[in-house]
Amino acid sequence: MNNVIEMKHPLIQHKISRLRDKNTGTAEFRALVEEIAMLMGYEALKDLPLEDVEVETPIEKCMTPQIAGKNFAIVPILRAGLGMVSGLQPHEYYCKLPSPISERLIVVTDPMLATGGSAVAAVDFIKQHGGKKIKFMAIIAAPEGVERLMEAHPDIQLYVGHIDRELNKDAYICPGLGDAGDRIFGTK
Ligand code: URA
């Protein structure tokens, strides 16, 4: 699939292995998630438009590039909240999108792309509100989730740290890393 970009960078792979380890505690887990998101963002945002601005260095004035205007927005999927509506189809229970949205690059983030249900719902919602340029960033994905998301939204770009083997009957990714929400918030 052309629009699916799996990260090969050794730093990302190394940090994902640390995330997987059940002995990695909450503080380290949270820091690793942030670091991996930053490293993946480096790749996912490499086509962000720049504009030249004037800056005065200690030596002289110069024109130098910075990210142009209000050009992108990050939209995290609040998994813990979605967990409160278990048994229902995922739905948006809290959603605040920046405006205007149609010109922005929207980066949707969810550490785990499992069944793809919440991911498809989030991208549906963003498109219904006028979003056009959409990228999705997941640290670990199941093949089932990748297929479902890309079938529903073949026009988006999906950045994944690693595509794992499969979902189990409880919709956990195998080998995965367990419940990302629990491990980020220390709720188990
Ligand atoms: N969500 C998680 O946090 N982990 C999984 O394995 C699947 C969905």
Side-chain angles (χ1 to χ4, degrees):
M1 275 181 268
N2 264 351
N3 280 356
V4 180
I5 301 110
E6 194 175 0
M7 302 286 138
K8 300 287 179 212
H9 198 289
L11 280 176
I12 296 178
Q13 296 311 311
H14 175 86
K15 287 175 191 289
I16 289 175
S17 300
R18 299 300 317 131
L19 279 186
R20 292 189 193 278
D21 190 334
K22 67 177 187 180
N23 296 312
T24 298
T26 302
E28 190 189 351
F29 191 91
R30 200 179 297 167
L32 284 164
V33 167
E34 284 177 20
E35 288 161 13
I36 294 167
M38 173 79 87
L39 290 166
M40 290 182 67
Y42 185 79
E43 178 65 24
L45 299 177
K46 71 179 178 195
D47 51 1
L48 264 188
L50 293 168
E51 65 189 0
D52 276 347
V53 292
E54 189 179 272
V55 166
E56 194 167 354
T57 77
I59 313 297
E60 63 180 33
K61 282 186 185 163
C62 65
M63 295 302 285
T64 189
Q66 72 172 22
I67 292 164
K70 290 180 178 171
N71 269 307
F72 82 104
I74 297 177
V75 178
I77 296 180
L78 305 180
R79 178 172 301 281
L82 290 171
M84 294 188 309
V85 291
S86 60
L88 303 177
Q89 282 298 305
H91 68 261
E92 68 285 348
Y93 73 101
Y94 174 79
C95 195
K96 198 166 184 298
L97 293 174
S99 135
I101 189 178
S102 61
E103 293 309 308
R104 291 183 199 242
L105 168 63
I106 309 288
V107 183
V108 188
T109 59
D110 190 341
M112 308 298 275
L113 174 58
T115 64
S118 328
V120 170
V123 176
D124 281 344
F125 182 84
I126 291 164
K127 285 185 175 174
Q128 280 154 20
H129 286 75
K132 290 189 172 60
K133 293 182 280 183
I134 302 168
K135 299 190 183 205
F136 196 103
M137 256 174 51
I139 295 177
I140 294 182
E144 295 90 333
V146 173
E147 203 174 311
R148 183 159 168 199
L149 178 58
M150 297 317 286
E151 205 173 290
H153 296 293
D155 55 314
I156 71 168
Q157 277 94 47
L158 170 61
Y159 294 84
V160 282
H162 195 267
I163 301 176
D164 277 11
R165 194 179 68 249
E166 62 186 354
L167 285 179
N168 68 15
K169 63 175 176 28
D170 299 317
Y172 277 96
I173 300 175
C174 305
L177 49 72
D179 187 305
D182 281 344
R183 298 198 62 191
I184 289 169
F185 297 111
T187 41
K188 233 180 202 170

